[in-house]
Amino acid sequence: MNTVLSLIIMISQNTIRKDNMNFIASYIIDHLYEIDAMSIKTLAENCYTSTTSIIKFCQLIGFDTYAEFKKYLYSSLETRKEQLTKKCQNLQIEDLFNKIELFSQDSLDKQYLYQSVQKIVNMIIQKRSIHFYGAVFPLALVESFSEDMAIMKVPVHVHQTPFDQIDLQSNEAVNIIVTLTGRFIELNKEGFQQLCQLHQDIVLISQEVSDLKEIALQLTLPHTMNSDYDDILYILLLDLIKLSYYQFYHEHLD
């Protein structure tokens, strides 16, 4: 990830310490294809900040002016669109299944995995927005997924929870909790319950089977032969979701 969009995503996903730059980045991701026609004054008003802060944000990612920022943002978007198209056209869902199976210690139920991914994709199609919750490191692996989904007009936001407090926000989105071991929910019981009260479309991604009636869907990943492979399995799952959504996007929305 070395595009203007990837830099914006990195700033937006630094949610441990929230500041004005974080809010501006999140707003741009939510309105990615509207910014081109938006004046600096309008953007500042929409972000409840000043034009000076917008200029500081542009300078933070390497541009002297707002106009220069927009120019390179949209030129890099066109390049990333082409890269995403080539990547997805050369990738098959069955190939991803085979890679997941390669790293799995458990027997892989491909039908279950496929159906679970399709349910998540259908939820994304309805909501057109995703919020991830979890510990810092698993959510750091979402950055590439976030960039590709943003290009397909699905903003992705993360809520990193290194301590015992979930960052609660009411939103119209698919809310995905990532906890391979299940410890995240154990450490954040109160926050998890409040999250479930706020939202209906909650997806749990874990390697442990849980009987949680509050969630809409649990996707249980197989255990790996070595815990070092867990991250690979997680990234492959994100690729499955992304590819499945791309197929819908390419056919209906592009």
Side-chain angles (χ1 to χ4, degrees), residues 226-239:
N226 186 311
S227 60
D228 292 339
Y229 299 146
D230 288 349
D231 296 335
I232 298 175
L233 207 64
Y234 175 41
I235 292 172
L236 288 170
L237 172 64
L238 294 176
D239 283 343

Side-chain angles (χ1 to χ4, degrees), residues 44-208:
E45 289 174 351
N46 292 348
C47 292
Y48 304 100
T49 190
S50 64
T51 55
T52 301
S53 292
I54 301 298
I55 293 297
K56 287 181 179 178
F57 177 85
C58 295
Q59 292 173 342
L60 179 65
I61 55 179
F63 302 102
D64 293 327
T65 67
Y66 179 61
E68 184 184 16
F69 159 71
K70 290 202 296 184
K71 174 185 175 182
Y72 283 95
L73 170 62
Y74 286 98
S75 65
S76 68
L77 276 181
E78 290 304 314
T79 300
R80 287 292 288 111
K81 282 182 183 178
E82 294 176 5
Q83 292 173 345
L84 176 63
T85 298
K86 289 180 181 178
K87 181 166 54 177
C88 289
Q89 286 179 344
N90 293 326
L91 192 60
Q92 300 296 322
I93 286 180
E94 188 62 30
D95 294 336
L96 292 173
F97 279 140
N98 291 337
K99 290 180 180 178
I100 290 174
E101 193 169 36
L102 182 66
F103 291 102
S104 299
Q105 183 179 30
D106 304 336
S107 177
L108 182 65
D109 187 339
K110 293 184 180 180
Q111 183 177 5
Y112 159 79
L113 185 57
Y114 178 79
Q115 290 176 345
S116 297
V117 167
Q118 292 307 309
K119 287 178 182 178
I120 294 173
V121 170
N122 288 336
M123 294 166 71
I124 296 171
I125 290 170
Q126 292 177 6
K127 298 295 185 178
R128 304 289 170 82
S129 180
I130 306 171
H131 284 245
F132 279 90
Y133 299 81
V136 174
F137 183 69
L139 295 187
L141 301 175
V142 176
E143 287 187 4
S144 179
F145 174 82
S146 299
E147 185 174 2
D148 287 337
M149 294 303 292
I151 290 167
M152 294 187 287
K153 302 180 181 179
V154 177
V156 176
H157 298 284
V158 304
H159 305 272
Q160 297 172 340
T161 310
F163 306 111
D164 59 347
Q165 183 178 0
I166 292 181
D167 178 22
L168 294 171
Q169 291 186 13
S170 179
N171 58 64
E172 290 296 325
V174 180
N175 290 270
I176 301 177
I177 299 173
V178 182
T179 172
L180 296 187
T181 64
R183 291 183 66 248
F184 177 79
I185 293 176
E186 286 296 317
L187 294 173
N188 297 276
K189 288 182 179 179
E190 183 177 347
F192 172 71
Q193 291 297 330
Q194 292 175 342
L195 185 67
C196 292
Q197 291 171 5
L198 280 174
H199 307 292
Q200 293 181 337
D201 294 314
I202 295 180
V203 175
L204 174 64
I205 296 176
S206 180
Q207 289 176 322
E208 304 302 322

